[in-house]
Amino acid sequence: MRSVRARAALGATLVVAVALVAAGAAVLLVLRQNLIDQTDLQAEVAAREVASQIALDVPPDRLELPDEEERPVQVVAADGRVVAVSDQLEAVSGTSSTQVRARPLPPVGDGDDDDDDPARGEVSTEEPRFTSGRATVDGDSADYRFAAVLVTAGDRRTYTVHAGAPLTTEQDAVDTVRDTMLVGLPVLLVVVGSVTWLVTRRALRPVEGIRREMAAITASEDLSRRVPEPASRDEVARLARTTNETLAALKASVERQRRFVADASHELRSPIASLRTQLEVGAAHPGLLDVPGAVEDTVRLQQLAADLLLLARLDAGERPGRTRFDVAEMVRETAAARPGGRVPVEVDAPDGTEAEGSRSQLARVVGNLLDNAQRHAEHVVRLSVRPVRGGGVAVVVEDDGDGVPPGERERIFERFVRLDDARSRDEGGAGLGLAIARDVARRHGGALSVADSPLGGARFELRLPAGRRGAVPHGG
């Protein structure tokens, strides 16, 4: 039962078995009821034929009774006396009287009879009363359905005519249908289980191929391999396509992680080697120790470690905090906290612009954009905040430098990418600032893009969604 095929076959077989048993029981009940209704009709017709004779003043001993083997008849008076009975009827049950011998009734006085206006008998028009019983006719016992019809003779005496119809045909038909169902049900269930097993096996064959290929990929660690995709358009084909898409994304993620580790190792090697060299020189020749250079290398190493730690947290899926804050205030504080750079920063940040997220991470984004702008600007860097039509806020950082070529505007957001390879590492940075800025922007539901600036250089625009009402204010 650990196999999907076995569970599917068993489940289909059980469902079909329950459905067939229920349907068979319903068919048997309906068939039996229809046959009983037909038997009741036959018994009623026989009873009304005899009752019609009594209504026409035929004496009980002269009644023409139907075939006693097929339609046994018993006529019972109001006092329970049997006045007429089929000749070969030996025993009966299910009628109002178990007597099988006719006994004459006492004569009715004729002092009040009016010969000019004879009385007429009448057969009851009410629905007959049907009962089930047994009767023995000429030594043979069988089950019967009896119809009881009331009739009033011309002498005003009331009789009940019991006429029976055998249930043998009904019982034989029901037994035949039941036996046929009992024989055919196991055969049908075997067929259903086998067909379900074969169909499920054929349907799951591509899944087994996917499993084997995934096992081989896991064993070989070769993420360039792909699982086979069936030509069909069913769920298995969609599973195979989704699996291949997952493998492609996993391969890209692994390659990105490997490049990240290699680039991070390369970037860390330079400041560590420089710092070690300075310390070794200082240890051998204390007078030659470059303390400012060692401090600068240490600061650069610290910043690089902080950037790598933030990227690792972002890659791990860390979500920013959900606090509402004033973007203009955050921008002004970030610009004011920066040390005096080579190019001054012009700030245009009116109050009233709010966003939601991590204030510290977004301040880090603004700081990275300002670092990049001051590194490439000639004379001016402009930092502005403005609301966006439809809701939200935009933080724009512009400079008057050389700008970013259109073909490189997406590549600059990749990690460890620096467009000017001739620039020294101290001036050019490690190439992580813009990558961090875009990752943080996306995790806040925003976007970061670059375009040409009216100042002549690059224009970086950070768009953030508006803060929701009811969000917790910063510091609250």
Side-chain angles (χ1 to χ4, degrees), residues 253-269:
S253 177
V254 171
E255 291 179 350
R256 181 183 179 184
Q257 191 68 22
R258 289 173 179 172
R259 288 196 304 269
F260 176 77
V261 173
D263 292 338
S265 300
H266 178 74
E267 293 295 335
L268 287 171
R269 189 185 303 116

